[in-house]
Amino acid sequence: QRALNGTWGVLEEPDYRPVPVIAAFGYVPSLDVGLLLKVDQPQVLEDFTFVLSRAVDVCNQRVDLTEELVIAVKARPASPPRLVRNGLANNTGKPIEMLTTYRFQEGCAPGHRCDWNLSAATYYSDVVDHCLNGNSQGLDYRDFPVKAGYFCIRSLGIGFVIEVDQEQIDKDGINLVTSYMELQNSYNGDATTQEMVLSESNASDPWGYTIKTKPRYSCPATGCHKDDFYTINALNGHNGIGNGKDYRNVDVVASYEYIADLPPGVALAIKVDTAEVNAPALKNAWILIGIS
């Protein structure tokens, strides 16, 4: 009717069956006829989802490290033929289907199909069943601990989830803190002997740990000592202040702390030469001696 009235446009409404459709219409004056092209709305959404999922698969092959973007939808009674033909249908009998392919299939158990344990990744229910946006943590299809951010597109009935391995996040955090500490050490100059040190447990190292920060000072000819008390105490789970020898075999006063949340175990310490700490007291003592 709208086409015959001389108008052009697109609308969404049920057709004569009635099935929800997306229809484009227009009027051809020379023929005095109206033209209409309509497509069932579910088919349009299916086609769009298919193209989108393929685009995401391409993106997943180009991102760095362990990031993976997943498109999830509510399971359908029967997967549409096109999804089955292109290997997108999960058909696992679970309430949620993943439409993207698995980026790390080699990480799945040998002889087993990659699959999510939805009870260990509850954020999929949040984004698909409840259309929530947010972030969480859980296990992916490899049973790897991951952090996940997710958001929902209600009109399409799909959820986007981006997962990153927890191990990568921990490493990035350690590298960020290490860079900051090294930068602070470089700013100290000759004004102070203060030095910040970050170490982490390392079973393959003879000393049982690795110093991540670059030494502020050159090691003596005999080499750097790695039995510094502040690192050993911290990696044994202790926090505190103490004095002893550092990697130069120089007497220092150090404050140290163990960070258990960053596996495999991280020790943070800030140390200063004992001679610098004692200098003000010695100066005052000489002044008092002079006065007396």
Side-chain angles (χ1 to χ4, degrees):
Q1 187 62 49
R2 297 185 186 186
L4 292 175
N5 288 337
T7 59
W8 293 75
V10 178
L11 55 79
E12 299 179 41
E13 64 179 29
D15 66 359
Y16 59 86
R17 290 172 288 177
V19 172
V21 299
I22 297 176
F25 56 88
Y27 177 66
V28 183
S30 59
L31 299 176
D32 191 28
V33 297
L35 297 180
L36 173 70
L37 174 64
K38 64 182 182 68
V39 183
D40 289 358
Q41 194 176 76
Q43 179 184 337
V44 174
L45 295 179
E46 177 193 323
D47 290 345
F48 177 78
T49 302
F50 171 77
V51 173
L52 184 61
S53 61
R54 294 282 64 80
V56 168
D57 284 339
V58 173
C59 291
N60 280 335
Q61 297 306 315
R62 298 183 178 182
V63 295
D64 295 329
L65 303 176
T66 63
E67 295 91 345
E68 182 169 7
L69 183 59
V70 182
I71 297 179
V73 299
K74 287 186 178 180
R76 293 147 292 188
S79 294
R82 183 173 186 180
L83 297 185
V84 174
R85 186 167 57 252
N86 289 280
L88 286 177
N90 281 346
N91 295 322
T92 61
K94 295 186 177 181
I96 295 175
E97 293 181 6
M98 316 307 177
L99 299 186
T100 43
T101 55
Y102 302 98
R103 181 184 175 196
F104 302 108
Q105 295 189 48
E106 68 280 1
C108 301
H112 292 77
R113 186 180 187 277
C114 291
D115 197 12
W116 271 267
N117 176 359
L118 296 179
S119 62
T122 56
Y123 43 85
Y124 280 104
S125 177
D126 291 339
V127 69
V128 173
D129 295 332
H130 307 291
C131 202
L132 299 177
N133 303 327
N135 59 81
S136 186
Q137 59 187 18
L139 301 177
D140 71 354
Y141 54 86
R142 301 165 296 166
D143 285 334
F144 280 25
V146 295
K147 289 281 190 179
Y150 51 90
F151 65 93
C152 166
I153 301 181
R154 189 181 298 274
S155 60
L156 297 178
I158 62 177
F160 283 88
V161 178
I162 183 166
E163 296 176 331
V164 184
D165 286 4
Q166 181 66 56
E167 181 181 8
Q168 178 190 327
I169 295 175
D170 293 339
K171 287 182 178 179
D172 289 346
I174 291 174
N175 290 338
L176 181 63
V177 174
T178 300
S179 298
Y180 170 78
M181 295 174 75
E182 290 177 345
L183 186 63
Q184 292 301 308
N185 288 339
S186 67
Y187 285 158
N188 287 332
D190 297 329
T192 177
T193 60
Q194 176 181 299
E195 181 177 6
M196 304 175 75
V197 181
L198 185 147
S199 306
E200 68 176 7
S201 298
N202 182 358
S204 62
D205 188 281
W207 290 96
Y209 65 88
T210 301
I211 299 176
K212 302 290 290 183
T213 45
K214 297 176 182 178
R216 181 184 173 193
Y217 300 100
S218 299
C219 297
T222 55
C224 283
H225 294 275
K226 290 190 64 176
D227 55 345
D228 44 86
F229 70 96
Y230 44 84
T231 295
I232 294 174
N233 287 347
L235 290 178
N236 283 331
H238 303 300
N239 303 326
I241 299 175
N243 54 69
K245 304 287 187 180
D246 71 353
Y247 60 87
R248 303 167 295 162
N249 203 30
V250 172
D251 290 321
V252 296
V253 177
S255 173
Y256 49 88
E257 184 170 355
Y258 177 62
I259 310 298
D261 293 337
L262 289 177
V266 171
L268 300 180
I270 181 169
K271 65 182 183 66
V272 63
D273 288 3
T274 303
E276 179 182 340
V277 175
N278 293 337
L282 292 174
K283 179 180 179 181
N284 291 335
W286 282 113
I287 292 174
L288 289 174
I289 293 173
I291 291 175
S292 63

